[in-house]
Amino acid sequence: MSHLDYGIFDCDTHCYEPRDAFTRYLPEAYKDRAIAPVRKADGNEVVLAGARVATFNSEQGLGFDMAYRPGTLKEMLKQMGSGNPEETYQPEPIRPEYLERAPRLALLETQGVDRCVIFPAGMALAAEHYVADTDALYVNLESFNRWYDETWGFNYHEQIYATALLSLRDLDRAVALTDKILEMGAKVVLLPTGPAYGRSPGDPYFDPIWSRLNEAGVTIALHIMPYWYFAALSPAWGHDADPASWHMSAWQWMNVYGERPVIDTTSSLIFDNVFGRFPNLRLLIAEHGASWVPHVLSHMDKSRGMGRNGPWIGGKLDERPSKIFRRFVRVAPYPEDNIPWIVENLEGDATCLVMGSDFPHAEGLADPADFEKLLDPLDDATKRAIMRGNAETLFNR
């Protein structure tokens, strides 16, 4: 039960996907190019994404009937810090509230969560990275979005916002998919971090998409996932281009699955003046932490000056990038981040920070309200802004 006297706005929660999340509405002609689980000879299930096994999303061996208990990473790190190296991730049968809206709504009431953004699980986060067939990619995304909206709701009573999937791989297909998800009432659209097939995602080439999302007042979401950085950067440094999720090198955790992808992507959207051209857009960054934010804001301001005589494909900025970031971007810190330090190094301005529990993942919090305890010694007004108010500006406009 929440110990707070106000409702939380949780900007990073997850569902788990059933086996047929992509195939339930997939046309029969595409079943041989589906994103779906298959069972290997040893009995373990892996995710087959088109013609490739989604290595990154298949290695934990839990299948679709088990999940790690929420919050167990924190317990494991605590034990490791005390000298016990044993991993204590605890698998358990998957709960109904991870799969279905009605039991999740009941749980949200108990948790004190008034509104939440719900991200998908492994199969959906594998789509862009593993499905090479462009036609199949878009048909799979359309099928998944239909399941996702019907099961959870792209905007369920202004309480649950499931994140519609979108790809920038093909402009015409992306425009058509954008129209479909907007017809469904999507308020949050999930895009991969990284370059958009030889272009910046902020390139005016994509303005037919940005203009539609802008008119609808959509929030763009960036969430950690495998994508371009694995194949493009890892081999150049002698690392596996397709590692399993918990068998990446420390260098990969830092450089291809950590802060760099979201810093690159966010700075491109700001430097390419996306928010200047489309001021009704907002950006939500989840599961990339926030310790990088103070440095990146000052570095963007400096880079704007250094690049003043360079190309500005979306038009020159008429204000500091840091001001643009604070107005248009919201970032969910990791629970292990030193959030008061981040606020201090943002000169006391916590406007861009929102809470995200990552529930029900093992890496997150078992009780989302416990995020408030991580905010001491910030004042009550700042705590409430991070726990609720800052996120409301993404939707109440």
Side-chain angles (χ1 to χ4, degrees), residues 117-120 144-145 148 153-154 161-165 186 188-190 221 284:
V117 176
I118 293 187
F119 290 93
F144 181 87
N145 281 335
Y148 208 14
F154 287 155
Y161 304 99
T163 58
L165 302 189
V188 187
V189 173
L190 179 62
L284 170 64

Side-chain angles (χ1 to χ4, degrees), residues 43-367:
N44 289 325
E45 284 183 301
V46 296
V47 176
L48 187 65
R52 294 179 63 188
V53 172
T55 308
F56 188 86
N57 306 87
S58 300
E59 64 89 25
Q60 291 187 343
L62 292 182
F64 287 77
D65 302 314
M66 302 287 288
Y68 289 116
R69 186 168 63 81
T72 49
L73 175 65
K74 181 179 179 181
E75 298 173 13
M76 186 185 81
L77 292 176
K78 183 177 181 180
Q79 289 196 23
M80 293 177 70
S82 64
N84 180 3
E86 182 179 353
E87 295 194 11
T88 56
Y89 274 130
Q90 299 174 17
E92 62 180 14
I94 203 160
R95 305 178 193 174
E97 56 265 32
Y98 303 168
L99 298 169
E100 303 169 18
R101 184 171 59 206
R104 175 64 72 90
L105 287 169
L107 179 63
L108 292 177
E109 184 174 359
T110 300
Q111 292 175 332
V113 176
D114 280 354
R115 303 164 84 180
C116 66
V117 176
I118 293 187
F119 290 93
M123 285 201 297
L125 298 179
E128 188 90 38
H129 184 52
Y130 284 104
V131 181
D133 182 327
T134 298
D135 181 38
L137 172 65
Y138 280 97
V139 175
N140 272 276
L141 295 183
E142 290 171 16
S143 176
F144 181 87
N145 281 335
R146 180 177 171 187
W147 166 83
Y148 208 14
D149 182 40
E150 289 184 0
T151 303
W152 291 97
F154 287 155
N155 181 4
Y156 183 76
H157 296 176
E158 297 289 345
Q159 186 174 8
I160 288 177
Y161 304 99
T163 58
L165 302 189
L166 180 62
S167 169
L168 300 180
R169 186 180 296 179
D170 178 272
L171 181 60
D172 291 340
R173 296 295 293 270
V175 168
L177 182 56
T178 299
D179 288 340
K180 287 183 179 180
I181 61 181
L182 292 180
E183 287 174 6
M184 297 179 189
K187 300 299 291 183
V188 187
V189 173
L190 179 62
L191 284 171
T193 52
Y197 300 93
R199 303 177 190 270
S200 163
D203 192 309
Y205 175 81
F206 297 111
D207 281 3
I209 299 166
W210 298 130
S211 64
R212 285 166 164 79
L213 298 177
N214 179 73
E215 184 178 355
V218 160
T219 292
I220 306 301
L222 302 176
H223 188 281
I224 198 165
M225 66 176 72
Y227 182 44
W228 179 86
Y229 291 82
F230 280 97
L233 297 185
S234 292
W237 292 86
H239 297 274
D240 185 357
D242 189 20
S245 60
W246 288 100
H247 293 86
M248 292 184 290
S249 67
W251 184 91
Q252 288 174 310
W253 274 103
M254 180 172 180
N255 294 292
V256 303
Y257 196 61
E259 298 172 358
R260 176 176 173 179
V262 77
I263 292 171
D264 289 356
T265 307
T266 303
S267 60
S268 75
L269 295 173
I270 290 176
F271 286 137
D272 294 341
N273 202 25
V274 169
F275 302 107
R277 302 199 308 277
F278 303 106
N280 205 32
L281 291 175
R282 295 295 184 270
L283 178 65
L284 170 64
I285 297 171
E287 213 159 322
H288 285 279
S291 61
W292 50 272
V293 172
H295 169 69
V296 166
L297 264 58
S298 63
H299 196 34
M300 282 197 300
D301 287 348
K302 177 181 178 180
S303 299
R304 177 202 182 203
M306 298 300 291
R308 62 191 179 279
N309 296 321
W312 296 86
I313 62 174
K316 276 195 173 184
L317 304 184
D318 58 9
E319 60 182 334
R320 289 179 176 269
S322 58
K323 288 188 65 176
I324 297 170
F325 188 103
R326 291 175 190 272
R327 188 159 70 253
F328 292 97
V329 182
R330 298 292 178 265
V331 185
Y334 286 134
E336 61 267 27
D337 284 347
N338 186 337
I339 302 172
W341 177 91
I342 296 171
V343 175
E344 178 184 354
N345 284 272
L346 289 172
E347 300 177 346
D349 184 355
T351 306
C352 65
L353 301 180
V354 295
M355 72 82 60
S357 68
D358 198 28
F359 183 89
H361 284 174
E363 297 79 29
L365 298 173
D367 183 354

